[in-house]
Amino acid sequence: MFDSGVGGLSIAKCIAQQLPHENIIYIADSLHAPYGEKSVKFIIERVNHIAKQLIAKGVKAIVIACNTATVNAIEQLRAQVNIPIIGVEPAIKPAAKQSISKKVAILATQATSENQRFKDLIDLHHNGAQVLIQPCPGLVEFIEQGKQNSDACNALLKQYIDPLIEQGIDTLVLGCTHYPFVQKQISIIAGQQVTIIETAAPVTVQLSKKLVEKEIDACKKQQGQYQFFSSLETKQQEEIFSQLWQEPLTLHALEPY
Ligand code: DGL
Protein backbone atom coordinates (compact mmCIF):
# COMPACT_ATOMS: atom_id res chain seq x y z
CA MET A 1 0.00 0.00 0.00
CA PHE A 2 1.06 3.58 -0.39
CA ASP A 3 0.07 7.17 0.22
CA SER A 4 1.67 10.56 -0.26
CA GLY A 5 2.59 10.29 3.41
CA VAL A 6 1.24 9.08 6.73
CA GLY A 7 -2.46 9.38 5.82
CA GLY A 8 -2.74 5.85 4.45
CA LEU A 9 -1.82 4.50 7.87
CA SER A 10 -5.50 5.11 8.74
CA ILE A 11 -6.34 2.48 6.10
CA ALA A 12 -3.38 0.22 6.94
CA LYS A 13 -4.45 0.00 10.57
CA CYS A 14 -7.92 -1.18 9.58
CA ILE A 15 -6.47 -3.76 7.15
CA ALA A 16 -4.05 -5.03 9.82
CA GLN A 17 -6.95 -5.42 12.29
CA GLN A 18 -9.43 -7.03 9.88
CA LEU A 19 -6.98 -9.13 7.83
CA PRO A 20 -4.36 -10.02 10.46
CA HIS A 21 -2.76 -12.76 8.35
CA GLU A 22 -1.78 -10.47 5.49
CA ASN A 23 1.73 -8.99 5.26
CA ILE A 24 1.77 -5.26 4.56
CA ILE A 25 4.45 -3.17 2.90
CA TYR A 26 3.59 0.49 3.39
CA ILE A 27 5.26 3.23 1.37
CA ALA A 28 4.89 6.90 2.32
CA ASP A 29 6.03 9.44 -0.24
CA SER A 30 6.40 12.10 2.45
CA LEU A 31 9.23 13.85 0.63
CA HIS A 32 6.70 14.76 -2.07
CA ALA A 33 3.62 15.33 0.12
CA PRO A 34 1.18 16.91 -0.25
CA TYR A 35 0.07 15.36 -3.55
CA GLY A 36 -3.05 17.50 -3.27
CA GLU A 37 -1.15 20.56 -4.35
CA LYS A 38 0.80 18.90 -7.21
CA SER A 39 0.03 18.56 -10.91
CA VAL A 40 -1.71 15.48 -12.34
CA LYS A 41 1.47 14.67 -14.30
CA PHE A 42 3.57 14.70 -11.13
CA ILE A 43 1.08 12.52 -9.23
CA ILE A 44 1.02 9.96 -12.06
CA GLU A 45 4.84 9.83 -12.17
CA ARG A 46 5.07 9.24 -8.41
CA VAL A 47 2.31 6.62 -8.42
CA ASN A 48 4.04 4.68 -11.19
CA HIS A 49 7.42 4.91 -9.48
CA ILE A 50 6.05 3.65 -6.15
CA ALA A 51 3.97 0.91 -7.77
CA LYS A 52 7.12 -0.29 -9.55
CA GLN A 53 8.95 -0.48 -6.22
CA LEU A 54 6.09 -2.41 -4.60
CA ILE A 55 5.94 -4.86 -7.49
CA ALA A 56 9.74 -5.33 -7.26
CA LYS A 57 9.19 -6.28 -3.61
CA GLY A 58 6.82 -9.03 -4.79
CA VAL A 59 3.41 -7.72 -3.68
CA LYS A 60 0.30 -9.59 -4.83
CA ALA A 61 -2.03 -6.56 -4.72
CA ILE A 62 -1.70 -2.81 -4.29
CA VAL A 63 -3.92 -0.53 -2.22
CA ILE A 64 -3.66 3.10 -3.25
CA ALA A 65 -4.39 4.46 0.22
CA CYS A 66 -4.81 7.96 -1.10
CA ASN A 67 -7.89 9.62 -2.62
CA THR A 68 -5.79 12.11 -4.59
CA ALA A 69 -3.64 9.40 -6.20
CA THR A 70 -6.67 7.18 -6.83
CA VAL A 71 -8.79 9.72 -8.69
CA ASN A 72 -5.82 11.01 -10.67
CA ALA A 73 -3.83 7.87 -11.46
CA ILE A 74 -5.59 4.55 -10.79
CA GLU A 75 -6.93 4.00 -14.30
CA GLN A 76 -3.57 4.37 -16.02
CA LEU A 77 -1.91 2.16 -13.37
CA ARG A 78 -4.52 -0.58 -13.81
CA ALA A 79 -3.84 -0.49 -17.54
CA GLN A 80 -0.16 -1.24 -16.90
CA VAL A 81 -0.15 -3.97 -14.27
CA ASN A 82 -1.98 -7.23 -13.86
CA ILE A 83 -2.33 -7.51 -10.09
CA PRO A 84 -5.40 -6.20 -8.24
CA ILE A 85 -5.24 -2.44 -7.59
CA ILE A 86 -7.65 -1.21 -4.93
CA GLY A 87 -8.27 2.51 -4.69
CA VAL A 88 -9.79 4.84 -2.13
CA GLU A 89 -12.49 7.27 -3.14
CA PRO A 90 -14.63 9.61 -1.02
CA ALA A 91 -17.69 7.76 0.32
CA ILE A 92 -20.29 9.91 -1.43
CA LYS A 93 -22.85 7.13 -1.93
CA PRO A 94 -23.41 6.16 1.73
CA ALA A 95 -23.23 9.82 2.77
CA ALA A 96 -25.94 10.93 0.33
CA LYS A 97 -28.07 7.93 1.23
CA GLN A 98 -28.06 8.60 4.96
CA SER A 99 -28.38 12.41 4.86
CA ILE A 100 -31.73 13.66 6.15
CA SER A 101 -31.13 17.35 5.43
CA LYS A 102 -30.04 16.27 1.93
CA LYS A 103 -26.93 18.40 2.33
CA VAL A 104 -23.56 16.71 2.62
CA ALA A 105 -20.02 18.04 2.42
CA ILE A 106 -16.76 16.46 1.37
CA LEU A 107 -13.43 17.57 2.75
CA ALA A 108 -10.73 16.79 0.19
CA THR A 109 -7.41 17.96 -1.18
CA GLN A 110 -7.25 20.58 -3.91
CA ALA A 111 -6.24 17.99 -6.54
CA THR A 112 -9.15 15.70 -5.63
CA SER A 113 -11.62 18.62 -5.60
CA GLU A 114 -10.67 19.60 -9.15
CA ASN A 115 -10.65 16.06 -10.55
CA GLN A 116 -13.20 15.02 -13.17
CA ARG A 117 -13.47 11.39 -11.96
CA PHE A 118 -14.33 12.76 -8.51
CA LYS A 119 -16.97 15.10 -9.98
CA ASP A 120 -18.45 12.20 -11.99
CA LEU A 121 -18.63 10.16 -8.77
CA ILE A 122 -20.70 12.93 -7.16
CA ASP A 123 -23.00 13.15 -10.21
CA LEU A 124 -23.52 9.41 -10.04
CA HIS A 125 -24.17 9.04 -6.31
CA HIS A 126 -25.60 12.33 -4.96
CA ASN A 127 -29.07 10.74 -4.73
CA GLY A 128 -30.77 14.15 -4.77
CA ALA A 129 -28.54 15.56 -2.04
CA GLN A 130 -26.63 18.80 -2.42
CA VAL A 131 -22.91 18.02 -2.21
CA LEU A 132 -20.58 20.79 -1.03
CA ILE A 133 -16.91 20.29 -1.84
CA GLN A 134 -14.45 21.87 0.58
CA PRO A 135 -10.78 21.78 -0.45
CA CYS A 136 -8.53 21.88 2.63
CA PRO A 137 -5.09 23.19 1.63
CA GLY A 138 -2.61 23.16 4.50
CA LEU A 139 -4.27 20.41 6.52
CA VAL A 140 -2.16 17.49 5.27
CA GLU A 141 1.02 19.42 6.15
CA PHE A 142 -0.03 19.68 9.83
CA ILE A 143 -0.64 15.92 10.00
CA GLU A 144 2.60 15.09 8.15
CA GLN A 145 4.49 17.17 10.71
CA GLY A 146 2.73 15.58 13.68
CA LYS A 147 1.06 18.93 14.52
CA GLN A 148 -2.54 17.78 14.20
CA ASN A 149 -3.33 18.76 17.80
CA SER A 150 -1.98 22.30 17.50
CA ASP A 151 -4.11 25.45 17.85
CA ALA A 152 -3.15 26.44 14.31
CA CYS A 153 -4.47 23.15 12.91
CA ASN A 154 -7.67 23.55 14.89
CA ALA A 155 -8.12 27.10 13.58
CA LEU A 156 -7.68 25.88 10.01
CA LEU A 157 -10.25 23.12 10.55
CA LYS A 158 -12.74 25.65 11.94
CA GLN A 159 -12.18 27.88 8.94
CA TYR A 160 -13.14 25.00 6.61
CA ILE A 161 -15.95 23.41 8.64
CA ASP A 162 -17.89 26.33 10.20
CA PRO A 163 -19.30 27.59 6.87
CA LEU A 164 -20.46 24.05 5.99
CA ILE A 165 -22.36 23.78 9.28
CA GLU A 166 -23.92 27.21 8.66
CA GLN A 167 -25.17 25.86 5.33
CA GLY A 168 -26.99 23.03 7.10
CA ILE A 169 -25.00 19.88 6.31
CA ASP A 170 -25.71 16.80 8.44
CA THR A 171 -23.07 14.51 6.91
CA LEU A 172 -19.37 15.09 6.37
CA VAL A 173 -17.21 12.85 4.21
CA LEU A 174 -13.49 12.62 4.90
CA GLY A 175 -12.18 12.58 1.33
CA CYS A 176 -8.50 12.28 2.20
CA THR A 177 -6.87 9.47 4.16
CA HIS A 178 -4.97 11.95 6.34
CA TYR A 179 -8.18 13.41 7.77
CA PRO A 180 -9.19 10.50 10.07
CA PHE A 181 -6.19 11.59 12.14
CA VAL A 182 -8.08 14.84 12.93
CA GLN A 183 -11.50 13.20 13.16
CA LYS A 184 -11.84 14.00 16.88
CA GLN A 185 -11.21 17.69 16.27
CA ILE A 186 -13.55 17.68 13.25
CA SER A 187 -16.30 16.09 15.26
CA ILE A 188 -15.97 18.67 18.07
CA ILE A 189 -16.16 21.53 15.55
CA ALA A 190 -18.99 19.99 13.52
CA GLY A 191 -21.08 18.96 16.53
CA GLN A 192 -22.93 15.76 17.37
CA GLN A 193 -25.66 16.30 14.79
CA VAL A 194 -23.15 15.77 11.96
CA THR A 195 -22.24 12.21 10.92
CA ILE A 196 -18.65 11.76 9.79
CA ILE A 197 -17.94 9.13 7.16
CA GLU A 198 -14.55 7.71 6.20
CA THR A 199 -13.46 4.85 4.01
CA ALA A 200 -11.08 2.49 5.82
CA ALA A 201 -13.68 -0.23 6.47
CA PRO A 202 -15.16 -0.44 2.92
CA VAL A 203 -11.65 -0.41 1.39
CA THR A 204 -10.66 -3.32 3.64
CA VAL A 205 -13.79 -5.25 2.62
CA GLN A 206 -13.02 -4.58 -1.05
CA LEU A 207 -9.41 -5.75 -0.65
CA SER A 208 -10.49 -8.90 1.15
CA LYS A 209 -13.07 -9.67 -1.56
CA LYS A 210 -10.47 -9.27 -4.31
CA LEU A 211 -7.91 -11.48 -2.52
CA VAL A 212 -10.46 -14.26 -1.96
CA GLU A 213 -11.82 -13.98 -5.51
CA LYS A 214 -8.28 -14.37 -6.93
CA GLU A 215 -7.46 -17.07 -4.35
CA ILE A 216 -4.44 -15.15 -3.14
CA ASP A 217 -5.56 -14.44 0.43
CA ALA A 218 -2.97 -15.29 3.11
CA CYS A 219 -2.77 -18.58 4.92
CA LYS A 220 -4.70 -18.29 8.18
CA LYS A 221 -1.82 -19.82 10.14
CA GLN A 222 0.55 -16.92 9.58
CA GLN A 223 0.65 -13.66 11.48
CA GLY A 224 1.03 -10.63 9.18
CA GLN A 225 4.39 -8.84 9.13
CA TYR A 226 4.59 -5.10 8.52
CA GLN A 227 7.29 -3.05 6.82
CA PHE A 228 7.28 0.71 6.49
CA PHE A 229 9.20 2.78 3.94
CA SER A 230 9.35 6.50 3.32
CA SER A 231 10.97 8.82 0.80
CA LEU A 232 11.63 11.05 3.83
CA GLU A 233 13.27 8.69 6.26
CA THR A 234 14.27 10.62 9.39
CA LYS A 235 14.10 9.96 13.14
CA GLN A 236 11.35 12.55 13.42
CA GLN A 237 9.31 10.86 10.69
CA GLU A 238 9.75 7.52 12.42
CA GLU A 239 8.34 9.03 15.61
CA ILE A 240 5.34 10.50 13.77
CA PHE A 241 4.72 7.12 12.11
CA SER A 242 4.94 5.30 15.44
CA GLN A 243 2.56 7.77 17.07
CA LEU A 244 -0.08 7.36 14.34
CA TRP A 245 0.41 3.58 14.13
CA GLN A 246 0.11 3.48 17.94
CA GLU A 247 3.12 1.17 18.21
CA PRO A 248 6.86 1.72 17.79
CA LEU A 249 8.00 0.87 14.28
CA THR A 250 11.11 1.07 12.12
CA LEU A 251 11.00 3.34 9.10
CA HIS A 252 13.16 2.31 6.14
CA ALA A 253 14.38 4.56 3.34
CA LEU A 254 12.65 4.29 -0.02
CA GLU A 255 15.05 4.10 -2.95
CA PRO A 256 15.26 7.58 -4.50
CA TYR A 257 13.93 8.39 -7.94
N1 DGL B 1 -3.81 11.20 1.82
C1 DGL B 1 -4.07 11.70 0.54
C2 DGL B 1 -5.49 11.61 0.08
O1 DGL B 1 -6.17 10.71 0.51
C3 DGL B 1 -3.26 12.78 -0.07
C4 DGL B 1 -2.98 13.99 0.72
C5 DGL B 1 -1.98 14.85 0.00
O2 DGL B 1 -0.85 14.43 -0.15
O3 DGL B 1 -2.35 15.97 -0.38
O4 DGL B 1 -5.94 12.37 -0.72
Side-chain angles (χ1 to χ4, degrees):
M1 4 188 349
F2 70 92
D3 178 39
S4 63
V6 294
L9 291 175
S10 61
I11 308 272
K13 196 74 194 178
C14 184
I15 293 176
Q17 282 163 349
Q18 301 301 317
L19 308 176
H21 310 290
E22 299 295 345
N23 296 326
I24 299 175
I25 297 174
Y26 184 95
I27 295 182
D29 197 12
S30 296
L31 186 63
H32 300 101
Y35 280 179
E37 281 147 53
K38 302 288 190 306
S39 69
V40 175
K41 183 173 174 282
F42 183 87
I43 296 168
I44 289 177
E45 273 171 21
R46 292 309 299 166
V47 165
N48 290 345
H49 173 67
I50 293 169
K52 224 198 252 165
Q53 299 228 15
L54 285 170
I55 290 166
K57 291 180 194 301
V59 301
K60 60 184 178 185
I62 295 177
V63 177
I64 306 184
C66 173
N67 294 260
T68 310
T70 299
V71 296
N72 283 290
I74 196 168
E75 267 169 51
Q76 61 84 41
L77 183 63
R78 279 188 176 139
Q80 294 178 61
V81 302
N82 58 4
I83 57 172
I85 311 283
I86 289 91
V88 178
E89 282 175 321
I92 298 157
K93 197 176 176 179
K97 213 167 143 194
Q98 70 104 51
S99 171
I100 293 165
S101 70
K102 288 285 158 212
K103 247 188 203 183
V104 314
I106 305 172
L107 303 180
T109 66
Q110 194 70 43
T112 297
S113 306
E114 288 166 6
N115 179 271
Q116 192 53 47
R117 183 185 163 107
F118 170 63
K119 290 180 186 156
D120 291 346
L121 200 73
I122 296 175
D123 286 345
L124 195 65
H125 296 305
H126 66 75
N127 193 27
Q130 186 185 352
V131 180
L132 309 174
I133 303 168
Q134 177 60 60
C136 303
L139 192 50
V140 163
E141 287 90 326
F142 278 118
I143 300 161
E144 281 295 304
Q145 292 161 15
K147 294 183 180 154
Q148 64 273 22
N149 295 316
S150 64
D151 290 347
C153 181
N154 218 38
L156 190 66
L157 281 169
K158 262 183 88 55
Q159 184 191 317
Y160 292 141
I161 296 165
D162 281 349
L164 304 172
I165 304 302
E166 275 160 33
Q167 289 177 76
I169 62 148
D170 65 356
T171 310
L172 190 54
V173 177
L174 305 186
C176 167
T177 55
H178 280 72
Y179 302 167
F181 291 120
V182 283
Q183 185 160 342
K184 243 188 240 153
Q185 293 93 310
I186 291 175
S187 133
I188 291 169
I189 296 167
Q192 279 175 351
Q193 75 286 2
V194 174
T195 305
I196 297 172
I197 297 188
E198 51 109 8
T199 35
V203 170
T204 304
V205 169
Q206 178 63 11
L207 170 65
S208 172
K209 233 170 83 181
K210 271 274 168 261
L211 296 178
V212 170
E213 195 180 291
K214 300 257 173 203
E215 299 180 0
I216 51 173
D217 51 320
C219 157
K220 302 278 180 284
K221 281 187 204 139
Q222 76 159 30
Q223 175 60 41
Q225 305 289 315
Y226 310 127
Q227 278 181 291
F228 300 89
F229 294 84
S230 177
S231 52
L232 184 67
E233 181 254 334
T234 63
K235 259 278 146 268
Q236 195 197 1
Q237 277 302 111
E238 193 173 70
E239 277 164 24
I240 293 170
F241 261 74
S242 300
Q243 188 204 343
L244 298 177
W245 187 248
Q246 295 168 339
E247 265 172 66
L249 57 79
T250 306
L251 193 58
H252 302 282
L254 180 72
E255 286 106 87
Y257 222 139

